[in-house]
């Protein structure tokens, strides 16, 4: 862009797995990036970056970056490595994999990845063509919103839903299991503007988060009981005749059946389940139904318990019931990502899948590696990129035991020696966003962005696209796929002829950096004012016709495969499935472990990214667990004192933060701290279960009971 002497400004886009996908401007002086800032002209980013990313250049130039291929020299996990060349690393991989494939076949190899970068080229699907071609076990990646997607598709279909910018026009906003100020910061100004214009903001969350503190009404709820609340709201809306009958008649299916279902959830019963007063449930239902346009923003956290999918089904029925979709600023926001016309088949190459190839869900990593899950052939090699399973996946102790296996050949592509990479046999160096080209969609706004490389790759780091080109060459694959440049891949990744991309091209993006999809403007966008839902019936399906075929996971979360196993029957109507682990449903377990642990996102980390970097660690402080003073007193736990948090799955240590921002019976351990430097070499996922939620194989992180004791007591007892 603008060039003064030796200085240039390069257009980039934040790579992180976050709804905001900020437009960034990178200052480069003498070939070195010296600053990043938000693009002030971008209508969503508006010039600001968050505490995680506003010093991104320090991530790029961190002395801890992995800049060369490494080979393990010490015990697994010791962090002892020696530098080797790329040729040596690739030769090791070829030898290891050839041996394994000859002996046990390619499904003995398991790829494991998620969204270290969200770029369309380097992100979710970058490894799929390679592993599909290789015939490795298919990795089912249901880390985030998979249950929500299945439920949303069953109810509304793959609709972008409301424009996040249209929140300016909302009069009643419900943030449901969503901590916007920490996890979707750039959406906040639109909500704040609505508030200034008189909108009411309600936050439904067991914790009084930064966002809940800004709300007109914070409603604490027992974790995992949200579907009961949604059904209770429907009960009141129907009983008090607050239904938009015309909208329901024209644009929905199954109202009578839904009415009968909702009849089972009178406010008093729902109060006993959720811990919310019956009068408050009535009030919320009346205000939500009558203050139009009203909108529900669901967070990803809403799916993280046994009934997570049906919870999203229930929430997605509410806007149609009250006719909220009729007006700009009304409806629901799940993931606007469905607005981006991608050519997924070019990204994933499902045509290279071998029918019947084994699928392994990523929550099962610990069980698979330890042999608890009987697999034939067993997993002999693990290839991790864009992910840090030791920190983000449940059953941490099992994962560690699995990664310690001497007979497991582990390769990790990383920017840093994470808790996972420390267990690798081979580590491959990965570039950061400032060193690579990518094109970015967003799951929080309607802008397509281009990320141009600002600086040359550091050391011998390579983008993921190049990583898989090299692996393909190593394994003898020579399809045109592996000869494409990144730009050619970007051309092939999008359906440029789609009306949503009219007037937008790679060439135009190179000039502007970003462009709003060709959709109606935010003040005119009411996608379902007259129905047009993207379900089989074209209506909002209270009674989901797709439920008859059972549960499913979107192919994009499973390398393009649409062969789903274990799809049991699904209730056609939204229903309340109680948590697996709660005092009301599992009193025996709750006697031993009375506290429900939540592990939401940290304000200063991005999942586990930045858990090792000084600015963000300084902001976050030591790993702490927030506990209500009543619960703390009963356990002899004082402010700032060291504690042990445990259940039958594992334990970790942290310091106690006493605060009535969490309801009694709930404790909070923010996600993202690294294991190795922690007090007892363990983090919160040591405690969390690998059980699936009801739909889309979503995780059950909010469905986990624990107990807490002073750490001294734990030490004395040993
Ligand atoms: N700062 C920061 N921002 C991020 C991320 C990050 O790590 N850090 N990660 C990004 C990613 S990958 C994602 S998916 C999004 C997630 O963004 P959010 O969906 O906002 O995720 P969380 O912070 O995990 O959870 C939000 C709130 O849900 C509440 N909650 C948990 N269980 C329940 C429940 O059963 N019912 C109700 N009503 N509330 C519940 C938690 O208390 C928490 O305050 O954030 C993205 N943005
Ligand atoms: N307890 C609990 N567990 C959770 C959650 C929770 O709320 N609570 N949230 C879940 C959710 S919503 C999500 S999305 C997942 C996130 O799971 P992950 O996507 O695994 O998240 P990160 O911890 O950020 O790990 C990404 C890794 O990729 C690396 N990386 C970044 N860019 C690149 C690149 O270009 N190339 C390569 N090769 N590597 C790169 C980063 O350094 C980082 O170590 O975690 C899930 N796990
Ligand atoms: Mo996520």
């Amino acid at each position: 862009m603008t060039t003064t002497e030796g200085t240039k400004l390069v257009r980039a886009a934040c790579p992180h797995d976050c709804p905001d996908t900020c437009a960034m401007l990178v200052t480069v002086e003498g070939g070195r990036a010296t600053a990043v800032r938000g693009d002030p002209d971008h209508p969503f980013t508006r010039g600001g970056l968050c505490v995680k990313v506003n010093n991104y250049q320090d991530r790029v130039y961190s002395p801890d970056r992995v800049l060369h291929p490494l080979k393990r020299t010490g015990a697994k996990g010791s962090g002892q490595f020696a530098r080797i060349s790329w040729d040596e690393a690739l030769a090791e991989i070829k030898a290891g994999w050839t041996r394994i494939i000859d002996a046990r076949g390619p499904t003995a190899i398991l790829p494991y990845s998620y969204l270290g970068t969200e770029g369309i080229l380097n992100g979710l699907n970058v490894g799929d063509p390679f592993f599909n071609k290789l015939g490795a076990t298919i990795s089912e990646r249901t880390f985030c919103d998979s249950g929500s997607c299945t439920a949303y598709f069953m109810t509304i279909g793959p609709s972008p839903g409301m424009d996040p910018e249209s929140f300016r026009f909302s009069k009643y906003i419900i943030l449901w299991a969503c901590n916007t100020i920490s996890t979707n910061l750039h959406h906040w100004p639109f909500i704040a503007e609505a508030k200034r214009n008189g909108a009411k903001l309600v936050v439904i969350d067991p914790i009084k988060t930064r966002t809940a503190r800004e709300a007109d009404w914070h409603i604490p709820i027992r974790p995992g009981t949200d579907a009961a609340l949604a059904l209770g709201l429907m009960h009141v809306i129907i009983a008090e005749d607050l239904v938009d009958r015309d909208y329901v008649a024209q644009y929905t299916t199954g109202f009578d059946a839904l009415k009968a279902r909702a009849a089972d959830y009178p406010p008093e019963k729902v109060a006993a389940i959720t811990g919310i007063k019956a009068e408050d449930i009535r009030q919320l239902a009346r205000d939500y139904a009558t203050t139009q346009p009203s909108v529900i923003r669901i967070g990803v956290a809403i799916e993280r318990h046994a009934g997570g999918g049906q919870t999203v089904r229930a929430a997605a029925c509410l806007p149609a019931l009250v006719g909220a979709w009729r007006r700009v600023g009304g409806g629901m926001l799940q993931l606007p990502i469905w607005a981006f016309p991608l050519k997924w088949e070019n990204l994933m190459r499902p045509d290279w899948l071998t029918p019947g190839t084994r699928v392994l869900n990523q929550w099962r990593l610990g069980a698979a590696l330890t042999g608890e899950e009987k697999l034939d052939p067993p997993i002999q090699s693990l290839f991790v990129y864009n992910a840090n399973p030791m920190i983000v996946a449940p059953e941490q102790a099992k994962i560690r035991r699995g990664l310690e296996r001497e007979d497991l050949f582990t390769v990790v592509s990383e920017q840093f020696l994470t808790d996972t990479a420390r267990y690798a046999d081979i580590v491959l160096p990965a570039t950061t966003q400032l060193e690579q080209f990518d094109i970015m969609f967003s799951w929080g706004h309607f802008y397509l962005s281009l990320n141009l490389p600002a600086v040359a790759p550091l050391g011998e780091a390579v983008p993921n696209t190049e990583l898989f080109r090299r692996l393909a060459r190593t394994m003898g694959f020579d399809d045109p796929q592996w000869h494409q440049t990144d730009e050619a891949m970007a051309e092939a990744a999008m359906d440029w002829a789609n009306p949503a991309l009219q007037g937008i091209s790679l060439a135009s993006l190179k000039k502007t950096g970003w462009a709003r999809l060709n959709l109606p403007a935010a003040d005119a966008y009411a996608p379902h004012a007259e129905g047009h839902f993207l379900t089989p019936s074209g209506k909002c399906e209270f009674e989901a016709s797709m439920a008859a075929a059972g549960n499913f996971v979107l192919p994009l979360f499973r390398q393009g495969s649409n062969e789903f196993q274990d799809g049991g029957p699904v209730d056609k109507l939204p229903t309340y499935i109680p948590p697996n682990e709660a005092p009301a449903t599992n009193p025996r377990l709750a006697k031993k472990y009375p506290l429900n642990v939540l592990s939401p996102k940290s304000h200063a980390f991005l999942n586990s990214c930045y858990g090792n970097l000084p600015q963000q660690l300084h902001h976050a402080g030591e790993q702490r667990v927030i506990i209500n003073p009543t619960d703390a007193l009963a356990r002899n736990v004082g402010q700032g004192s060291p504690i042990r948090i445990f259940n039958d799955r594992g334990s970790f240590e942290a310091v106690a933060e006493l605060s009535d921002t969490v309801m009694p019976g709930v404790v909070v351990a923010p996600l993202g701290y690294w294991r190795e430097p922690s007090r007892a070499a363990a983090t919160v996922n040591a405690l969390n279960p690998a059980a699936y939620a009801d739909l889309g194989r979503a995780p059950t992180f909010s469905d986990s009971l624990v107990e807490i004791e002073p750490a001294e007591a734990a030490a004395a007892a040993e």
Side-chain angles (χ1 to χ4, degrees):
M1 235 159 94
T2 43
T3 318
T4 56
E5 257 164 64
T7 302
K8 60 176 180 170
L9 213 51
V10 180
R11 288 190 179 280
C14 179
H16 286 303
D17 180 11
C18 165
D20 294 20
T21 313
C22 290
M24 304 201 298
L25 298 174
V26 186
T27 308
V28 181
E29 294 173 278
R32 190 179 168 94
T34 51
V36 295
R37 61 187 168 92
D39 182 347
D41 296 330
H42 190 278
F44 206 77
T45 309
R46 298 181 174 189
L49 294 177
C50 65
V51 61
K52 307 179 286 296
V53 175
N54 64 17
N55 68 333
Y56 190 80
Q57 72 279 7
D58 293 348
R59 180 175 182 87
V60 177
Y61 298 109
S62 164
D64 297 339
R65 274 285 297 279
V66 174
L67 295 178
H68 304 280
L70 302 173
K71 183 178 174 175
R72 180 169 66 86
T73 53
K76 291 206 174 192
S78 66
Q80 290 167 3
F81 293 93
R83 179 175 166 180
I84 55 172
S85 69
W86 264 101
D87 284 345
E88 286 169 299
L90 292 170
E92 293 263 352
I93 293 169
K94 182 171 187 174
W97 282 356
T98 307
R99 180 176 42 80
I100 290 167
I101 292 169
D102 288 349
R104 307 305 306 259
T107 56
I109 301 168
L110 175 70
Y112 201 99
S113 71
Y114 199 56
L115 280 174
T117 169
E118 198 183 282
I120 294 173
L121 304 186
N122 289 292
L124 184 66
N125 303 103
V126 60
D128 295 356
F130 175 78
F131 287 109
N132 287 347
K133 181 105 191 165
L134 193 68
T137 290
I138 295 171
S139 219
E140 187 174 67
R141 299 172 288 225
T142 55
F143 276 109
C144 182
D145 243 24
S146 171
S148 169
C149 289
T150 299
Y152 186 81
F153 279 34
M154 282 184 176
T155 319
I156 284 171
S159 158
M162 235 181 90
D163 183 342
E165 293 178 58
S166 301
F167 274 59
R168 288 194 281 139
F169 307 108
S170 305
K171 288 293 174 216
Y172 201 81
I173 301 174
I174 299 181
L175 299 178
W176 204 328
C178 186
N179 183 11
T180 305
I181 292 180
S182 288
T183 61
N184 190 184
L185 177 64
H186 295 83
H187 194 215
W188 181 252
F190 298 90
I191 295 170
E193 188 180 332
K195 280 191 77 191
R196 281 197 301 278
N197 293 332
K200 288 277 172 289
L201 175 65
V202 180
V203 172
I204 304 172
D205 195 309
I207 316 171
K208 199 171 187 79
T209 58
R210 284 170 199 261
T211 312
R213 270 176 247 156
E214 299 297 320
D216 297 291
W217 191 9
H218 169 223
I219 304 180
I221 184 168
R222 287 194 192 115
T225 64
D226 304 82
L229 174 60
L231 286 156
L233 297 177
M234 292 179 199
H235 180 103
V236 177
I237 289 165
I238 295 169
E240 300 191 3
D241 199 15
L242 304 173
V243 173
D244 183 333
R245 284 198 237 157
D246 177 57
Y247 193 91
V248 165
Q250 288 198 65
Y251 307 127
T252 71
T253 68
F255 175 71
D256 290 337
L258 185 73
K259 183 177 173 183
R261 175 59 56 87
D264 291 342
Y265 292 89
E268 282 67 26
K269 175 175 164 185
V270 171
I273 297 171
T274 59
I276 303 168
K277 285 198 224 97
E279 207 31 58
D280 287 349
I281 295 165
R282 286 197 184 88
Q283 189 66 47
L284 180 63
R286 287 173 196 146
D287 293 352
Y288 167 73
T290 58
T291 320
Q292 292 300 328
S294 62
V295 63
I296 295 174
R297 164 45 148 174
I298 52 167
V300 173
I302 201 167
E303 69 173 15
R304 296 192 190 126
H305 49 84
Q310 287 289 354
T311 305
V312 175
R313 282 268 298 124
C317 291
L318 281 163
L321 197 63
V322 301
W325 289 110
R326 282 185 188 278
R327 294 165 66 179
V328 174
M332 175 165 179
L333 179 59
Q334 190 235 10
L335 297 178
I337 191 177
W338 312 119
F340 292 82
L342 266 70
K343 286 199 172 163
W344 293 104
E345 66 283 8
N346 289 347
L347 295 168
M348 302 185 291
R349 297 303 305 257
D351 52 320
W352 284 349
L353 279 164
T354 309
T357 301
R358 174 169 81 186
V359 176
L360 188 81
N361 185 280
Q362 298 198 307
W363 304 130
R364 306 295 303 160
L365 182 66
L369 293 184
T370 52
E372 178 193 306
E373 180 148 336
K374 297 279 171 257
L375 294 173
D376 184 22
I379 302 301
Q380 296 288 333
S381 178
L382 179 69
F383 189 92
V384 182
Y385 62 100
N386 272 348
N388 188 8
M390 186 77 100
I391 300 303
V392 302
E395 302 194 321
Q396 187 175 76
K398 274 186 212 165
I399 293 177
R400 182 182 47 77
R401 281 207 310 281
L403 289 176
E404 278 170 352
R405 261 174 52 193
E406 270 306 319
D407 66 332
L408 181 74
F409 178 55
T410 304
V411 183
V412 178
S413 159
E414 252 300 346
Q415 298 166 342
F416 292 93
L417 265 191
T418 60
D419 288 304
T420 306
R422 292 175 71 86
Y423 285 81
D425 295 286
I426 303 283
V427 183
L428 301 172
T431 45
T432 66
Q433 187 78 334
L434 300 199
E435 303 152 74
Q436 65 198 18
F437 173 94
D438 216 325
I439 181 165
M440 319 283 302
F441 53 48
S442 164
W443 49 282
H445 56 64
F446 286 156
Y447 297 82
L448 181 68
S449 320
L450 195 68
N451 179 75
L452 293 171
V455 297
L458 271 64
E460 294 177 285
V462 299
N464 293 336
T465 49
E466 174 61 16
L467 165 69
F468 285 103
R469 279 183 208 115
R470 291 186 185 189
L471 286 173
R473 210 181 309 137
T474 302
M475 298 309 284
F477 304 159
D478 194 33
D479 315 81
Q481 176 84 22
W482 317 112
H483 296 287
Q484 300 176 94
T485 60
D486 286 352
E487 282 204 28
M489 289 174 75
E491 290 286 4
M494 309 292 301
D495 177 10
W496 298 100
N498 187 291
L501 291 179
Q502 208 187 332
I504 307 171
S505 65
L506 266 191
S508 76
L509 286 171
K510 279 186 188 164
K511 292 199 198 95
T512 58
W514 44 266
R516 183 178 161 92
L517 296 178
N518 190 29
L519 295 170
D523 60 0
Y525 188 61
H528 303 302
E530 293 170 1
H532 302 299
F533 291 98
L534 303 178
T535 53
S537 64
K539 300 187 174 188
C540 175
E541 297 198 2
F542 296 151
E543 198 168 27
S545 58
M546 287 165 80
N551 188 12
F552 64 90
V553 171
L554 300 188
L556 75 98
F557 296 134
R558 31 189 3 247
Q559 301 181 197
S561 163
N562 56 12
E563 297 176 4
F564 187 82
Q565 302 132 357
D566 318 331
V570 171
D571 197 330
K572 284 187 178 180
L573 290 167
T575 186
Y576 169 57
I577 299 170
N580 295 325
E581 303 190 8
T585 48
N586 198 337
R588 274 185 56 199
L589 186 71
K591 203 156 175 245
K592 213 166 150 198
Y593 301 118
L595 302 169
N596 188 334
V597 68
L598 300 180
S599 44
K601 309 300 188 187
S602 291
H603 186 74
F605 304 147
L606 194 294
N607 300 324
S608 75
C609 293
Y610 303 100
N612 61 329
L613 293 183
Q615 170 176 306
Q616 290 77 7
L617 266 174
H618 177 75
H619 190 287
E622 192 185 348
Q623 167 84 74
R624 64 197 195 288
V625 170
I626 314 171
I627 179 169
N628 187 280
T630 323
D631 290 328
L633 191 67
R635 290 165 179 78
N636 221 356
V637 163
Q639 185 70 272
S641 65
I643 50 173
R644 180 173 167 266
I645 305 93
F646 60 101
N647 61 17
D648 288 342
R649 287 178 288 264
S651 69
F652 74 103
E653 290 186 18
V655 290
E657 179 181 327
L658 275 54
S659 166
D660 57 12
T661 56
V662 302
M663 55 199 289
V666 173
V667 294
V668 181
L671 180 77
Y673 287 91
W674 286 30
R675 173 183 168 272
E676 204 261 337
S678 70
R679 284 177 179 244
T683 63
V684 63
N685 269 332
L687 275 57
N688 284 332
Y692 302 137
D694 56 329
L695 293 180
R697 290 185 177 156
T700 49
F701 295 126
S702 291
D703 197 342
S704 178
L705 286 176
V706 303
E707 180 54 298
I708 283 181
E709 64 182 9
E712 300 86 3
E718 271 165 20

